[in-house]
Amino acid sequence: MPPRGTHVADKFDDDDYPAYTMGRAAEMLGTTPAFLRALGEHRLITPLRSEGGHRRYSRYQLRIAARARELVDAGTQIDAACRIIILEDQLEEAQRINEELRTRTTGPQPQTPA
């Protein structure tokens, strides 16, 4: 029974809720459990563990794993794919922080078309 004030339906909307078993996650990604374990070994994703010790993956982690699979399918070695994704994430965060600081000091800037 969930704690009072917590609605079970809220978990369905939570991207970080560890809802998927390793087998189900691998099936959804069209890959193997070994691929998911390798992503963990390369520290790209760290699944939570159930009380029984089984790996559980969130939707957010599955999106990251799907990106890794795209890179590996394109011929990138798994360790390089993991590093690329980590660097992409760091770049995105740095750009977000820069924009936040720029907005804070100068006010909103008009967007220019790409």
Side-chain angles (χ1 to χ4, degrees), residues 14-22 45-58 61:
D14 185 352
D15 265 1
D16 296 318
Y17 182 72
Y20 303 97
T21 63
M22 177 180 277
I45 56 176
T46 304
L48 292 176
R49 299 281 183 147
S50 67
E51 289 181 17
H54 300 282
R55 290 173 179 89
R56 305 284 298 192
Y57 295 88
S58 68
Q61 290 172 325

Side-chain angles (χ1 to χ4, degrees), residues 3-21:
R4 286 193 180 273
T6 301
H7 298 286
V8 174
D10 293 342
K11 294 178 183 178
F12 293 118
D13 295 329
D14 185 352
D15 265 1
D16 296 318
Y17 182 72
Y20 303 97
T21 63

Side-chain angles (χ1 to χ4, degrees), residues 40-105:
E41 290 168 8
H42 290 287
R43 298 179 186 202
L44 181 62
I45 56 176
T46 304
L48 292 176
R49 299 281 183 147
S50 67
E51 289 181 17
H54 300 282
R55 290 173 179 89
R56 305 284 298 192
Y57 295 88
S58 68
R59 288 186 301 190
Y60 174 73
Q61 290 172 325
L62 293 184
R63 283 195 299 274
I64 292 171
R67 174 71 176 126
R69 171 132 195 249
E70 289 173 4
L71 290 169
V72 169
D73 286 351
T76 306
Q77 292 183 4
I78 195 164
D79 58 333
C82 291
R83 186 69 182 137
I84 288 167
I85 294 167
I86 290 167
L87 290 170
E88 287 173 342
D89 186 56
Q90 289 172 346
L91 176 60
E92 184 179 311
E93 178 68 7
Q95 289 172 330
R96 185 194 62 75
I97 290 169
N98 283 342
E99 184 59 32
E100 182 179 301
L101 291 173
R102 188 176 303 115
T103 301
R104 192 180 308 162
T105 59

